[in-house]
Amino acid sequence: MVLEKLPAWLQACADKVSSLGVFGGKMANHVLVNEYRPGEGIMPHEDGPLYFPTVTTINLGSHTLLDFYHPISRRQQSEGGEGPIPQTEDQRHFLSFLLKPRSLLVLREDMYCRYLHGIRPVAEDTVTEKVANAGMCDAELGDSLQRGTRVSLTIRHVPKVLKTSIFLGRRK
Ligand SMILES: O=C(O)CCC(=O)C(=O)O
Ligand SMILES: [Fe+2]
């Protein structure tokens, strides 16, 4: 990753999150801005070793449900092939967090390294027993929540950066 200056407003958000100590005293140096319209999501994935061990997200605009999945291969190994192996995405989905507007999510340890996360491409979410923080969010089982446009600021500390500038376009 090549270091570039963040816009001042985004730097302020990154500094505020860093001041909570979530990056072990380090300052965030990477922000990803994603916009999701209703019906849009992100496939289950791992963020990979670049950002380990902590990822934080400021949630703006609409709520969403962030879903967590067991990875197929690792679960097969750890269970020694015993018992039913979850195969479909639905079976592998074991937990969700309801992300409310203006909330901060801090993902670390197993939730970050062991499981996959994703957002389903739907326009409406139903609160099920898998939504672990429903009570904290005043959501009731069976509630239907219509999504609007959501913007997420995913703020991280990337340990390895190149302190050189990049040139876009042709040098004269
Ligand atoms: O928008 C979000 O909250 C999740 C984004 C995400 O998982 C990613 O960019 O890796
Ligand atoms: Fe991610």
Side-chain angles (χ1 to χ4, degrees):
M1 186 180 90
V2 179
L3 215 52
E4 283 188 90
K5 219 167 153 48
L6 289 173
W9 66 271
L10 207 46
Q11 186 67 56
C13 294
D15 290 349
K16 181 83 182 166
V17 172
S18 303
S19 73
L20 301 173
V22 290
F23 303 112
K26 305 248 164 50
M27 300 302 284
N29 59 359
H30 185 280
V31 183
L32 178 69
V33 181
N34 282 343
E35 182 188 79
Y36 304 82
R37 290 191 210 127
E40 294 179 341
I42 184 166
M43 279 175 60
H45 65 279
E46 291 175 280
D47 285 357
L50 185 60
Y51 310 111
F52 180 80
T54 304
V55 170
T56 66
T57 308
I58 295 178
N59 303 287
L60 300 171
S62 174
H63 83 278
T64 200
L65 274 191
L66 183 68
D67 302 317
F68 290 85
Y69 300 85
H70 289 286
I72 296 176
S73 55
R74 284 189 208 155
R75 193 168 161 88
Q76 281 172 323
Q77 282 161 10
S78 66
E79 294 198 349
E82 282 172 32
I85 298 158
Q87 289 293 356
T88 67
E89 205 165 278
D90 210 39
Q91 288 170 322
R92 287 164 52 218
H93 168 218
F94 69 100
L95 182 121
S96 300
F97 287 137
L98 177 55
L99 304 184
K100 298 271 276 191
R102 300 167 60 90
S103 67
L104 173 71
L105 175 76
V106 180
L107 263 195
R108 64 205 324 179
E109 296 174 8
D110 273 0
M111 295 308 285
Y112 180 79
C113 329
R114 187 160 172 190
Y115 306 115
L116 285 76
H117 57 272
I119 296 171
R120 264 179 283 205
V122 296
E124 182 184 294
D125 294 295
T126 304
V127 177
T128 67
E129 67 290 339
K130 287 185 185 172
V131 180
N133 63 337
M136 290 169 69
C137 297
D138 292 327
E140 309 240 338
L141 266 184
D143 279 357
S144 284
L145 307 173
Q146 295 291 330
R147 283 193 200 166
T149 298
R150 168 174 177 266
V151 172
S152 66
L153 309 179
T154 302
I155 298 173
R156 333 187 207 214
H157 172 259
V158 179
K160 287 185 187 153
V161 292
L162 282 177
K163 290 193 177 135
T164 174
S165 54
I166 46 172
F167 293 94
L168 296 174
R170 206 178 289 163
R171 269 194 263 177
K172 296 202 174 126

